[in-house]
Amino acid sequence: VEKNYEYGYDSSSEALMQDPYPLYHKMQAECPVNHTQAFGGFWCVSNFEAVHAAAADFRTFSSTEGVGIPNSPVAPLYPIDLDPPLQTAYRKILNPRFTVEALEVWRKPFREEVNRLIDQFIRRGEVLLAKDLCQIAPLSVVLPLIGIPREGIDELKGWVATIIRYRSEPSRAIPAGQKIESYMMELVARRRTMPPQDDVVGDLLQAKVGGRELTDEDIYRTVTIVLFGGLDTTTAAMLEGARFMSAHPEEWRRLEADPSLWPGAVEEILRFSSPAQGMARTVHKDTVLEGVPLKVGDKVMLLFAAANHDPGKFENPDKLQIDRCPNEHMAFGSGAHVCLGRNLARLEVEEILKAIFRRMPDLKIRPDAKLEYHPSEARSLKELPSVFTPKG
Ligand code: HEM
């Protein structure tokens, strides 16, 4: 019997990305590895076990031909578009700044920045949580951590957003890609003339891979993904957390009464929201996944978000339960490419939610707000217009 593998997944569809979970569940129930004709055609992997297995097998499922469908105009970026062992060499350079211990120095400055931003609107009694807070706050850590100056950041952020959201529109994405490249190449060239500094660019200028120093281009390709990774995804998780807490003040009170619940609550917000819905691979060895034959050159989308809502893995997967245990989600991917910035994202999501609800305990999403998501694998609420009792 000829099986119908076509499920029509298309992350550029506004309607689908508003709520992709019904489609993910249909895939899981009927045909966990299925096909879509979007963007030239690719396979979608939707169940936890298969996504996990594919993410672990970089020899079969390679990242070297890009992890976006369509691919980003700035690819390849390092280490995301590399396979081990080269990928591992870059991770060794980057990892030390992103451990739980190393990141702890950023907690206080981040908290202060969040409170400073809240001061700017707390008398108004209303706020656009994305624009006024959750899109800006992550910059205060990620820019100095990398070594990107604050000046000119609005323009740079605009180009990054264009690439993340309009990859499927070359007339918008390609010029934005060129701007980012020239910005980053200039930054690296300038840093070579300056005294060494204690940041990611500094680490990369000192580092060697395979016995040779990195070129300006190698450094640009690395810095760019650290910046890309650190912005919209984290914002998306913060907004989803704020939306949940505002609707469930009793859960907020539970967290305040027992702060040991916080890390688990943050993991659950990450699982539930899965801001990176999926990452692509290219098949480098013929294989069979969930009974479906995949051929060399086929594109495959690993749907981490679907895996994180797989009823075969998580009970009541579409319910956010702050004390969910166990909670082995893949919001940060898994395998060799597991997110470099995961500990930073965790720190920022926890700190911002605490600050929002401590200072605006009755914060509510405006009842008349139309909540929409950016249609992309980088799925994020566009805005979260909110109201609260103003404080003098
Ligand atoms: C909630 C926030 C975040 C989410 C959901 C997220 C998600 C992910 C996922 C799913 C991957 C795996 C990519 C793959 O398998 O191809 C990844 C990789 C990566 N992320 Fe994140 N990320 C977040 C925050 C961050 C932050 C804050 C940074 C840096 C400041 C960052 C930097 C990176 C980098 C550099 C990689 C590539 C790692 C590699 O290829 O070895 N991410 N992220």
Side-chain angles (χ1 to χ4, degrees):
V1 184
E2 186 73 13
K3 195 166 175 178
N4 181 13
Y5 290 112
E6 288 299 330
Y7 276 66
Y9 171 80
D10 179 354
S11 68
S12 69
S13 157
E14 290 263 357
L16 174 64
M17 296 317 277
Q18 190 65 28
D19 182 11
Y21 294 101
L23 177 64
Y24 296 158
H25 291 320
K26 188 171 145 68
M27 293 174 177
Q28 286 157 349
E30 299 171 3
C31 189
V33 176
N34 60 82
H35 194 263
T36 176
Q37 285 170 356
F39 304 117
F42 59 93
W43 297 97
C44 298
V45 186
S46 62
N47 62 333
F48 191 94
E49 286 312 321
V51 172
H52 192 265
D57 181 3
F58 60 85
R59 289 185 183 84
T60 308
F61 297 96
S62 170
S63 295
T64 55
E65 293 173 59
V67 295
I69 302 175
N71 209 2
S72 158
V74 286
L77 299 181
Y78 308 155
I80 201 160
D81 298 312
L82 300 172
D83 290 339
L86 194 50
Q87 183 259 352
T88 321
Y90 277 87
R91 282 298 289 253
K92 281 199 180 128
I93 304 167
L94 296 168
N95 283 340
R97 274 187 203 276
F98 290 88
T99 62
V100 173
E101 300 74 38
L103 288 167
E104 202 49 40
V105 299
W106 295 101
R107 189 179 294 276
K108 193 159 162 272
F110 181 73
R111 204 181 274 160
E112 285 167 1
E113 169 74 356
V114 168
N115 279 303
R116 193 186 66 76
L117 291 168
I118 293 176
D119 288 342
Q120 295 180 352
F121 58 74
I122 192 134
R123 279 178 222 87
R124 288 210 308 262
E126 58 181 352
V127 59
L128 296 174
L129 272 186
K131 177 173 152 291
D132 296 335
L133 185 61
C134 298
Q135 284 171 355
I136 322 174
L139 290 168
S140 68
V141 177
V142 86
L143 297 182
L145 178 70
I146 296 177
I148 297 177
R150 188 96 193 200
E151 307 82 63
I153 186 61
D154 290 341
E155 223 182 356
L156 182 62
K157 245 190 128 219
W159 301 326
V160 173
T162 301
I163 293 210
I164 292 176
R165 306 219 178 100
Y166 302 102
R167 256 186 340 208
S168 49
E169 295 174 36
S171 63
R172 296 172 88 156
I174 290 170
Q178 287 162 345
K179 301 269 198 201
I180 292 172
E181 175 173 351
S182 48
Y183 177 97
M184 291 297 181
M185 290 295 278
E186 241 171 71
L187 173 80
V188 179
R190 198 168 56 242
R191 283 291 297 272
R192 286 212 191 269
T193 68
M194 292 163 60
Q197 284 179 44
D198 183 16
D199 52 28
V200 170
V201 175
D203 295 343
L204 292 164
L205 285 166
Q206 302 274 319
K208 286 191 176 165
V209 168
R212 69 164 180 86
E213 288 178 2
L214 302 181
T215 64
D216 287 13
E217 187 180 334
D218 294 333
I219 297 177
Y220 135 62
R221 293 192 178 284
T222 310
V223 168
T224 302
I225 186 59
V226 181
L227 178 69
F228 275 35
L231 298 181
D232 281 27
T233 46
T234 315
T235 303
M238 291 169 173
L239 294 174
E240 213 63 55
R243 180 187 194 172
F244 174 80
M245 299 285 176
S246 69
H248 298 278
E250 73 288 356
E251 297 293 75
W252 162 251
R253 282 193 292 272
R254 225 175 118 198
L255 284 158
E256 280 299 84
D258 182 0
S260 72
L261 291 171
W262 266 108
V266 169
E267 291 312 306
E268 176 66 349
I269 290 164
L270 290 161
R271 180 198 69 84
F272 181 83
S273 60
S274 295
Q277 297 265 303
M279 294 281 179
R281 301 290 189 261
T282 306
V283 175
H284 276 191
K285 282 199 293 192
D286 287 357
T287 188
V288 176
L289 194 62
E290 295 286 324
V292 178
L294 305 175
K295 299 281 168 218
V296 169
D298 284 0
K299 293 274 178 197
V300 177
M301 180 60 73
L302 306 182
L303 287 170
F304 295 122
N308 285 343
H309 287 244
D310 179 350
K313 175 80 181 174
F314 300 97
E315 221 172 281
N316 289 323
D318 299 334
K319 201 165 181 285
L320 197 159
Q321 296 169 339
I322 61 164
D323 53 2
R324 184 181 289 278
C325 182
N327 192 358
E328 290 159 25
H329 66 76
M330 292 192 285
F332 294 120
S334 94
H337 291 276
V338 67
C339 179
L340 172 73
R342 61 197 187 284
N343 297 318
L344 178 56
R346 287 168 171 141
L347 180 157
E348 291 184 356
V349 171
E350 179 176 331
E351 289 298 332
I352 209 163
L353 291 176
K354 282 182 179 164
I356 291 173
F357 289 96
R358 275 185 194 150
R359 299 199 59 194
M360 301 168 281
D362 63 352
L363 181 127
K364 287 278 171 288
I365 311 311
R366 284 189 87 98
D368 57 339
K370 200 163 160 268
L371 300 187
E372 290 179 339
Y373 286 85
H374 287 294
S376 149
E377 267 91 26
R379 179 172 180 263
S380 173
L381 279 164
K382 291 182 182 171
E383 191 46 90
L384 207 49
S386 308
V387 288
F388 55 90
T389 304
K391 298 230 180 79

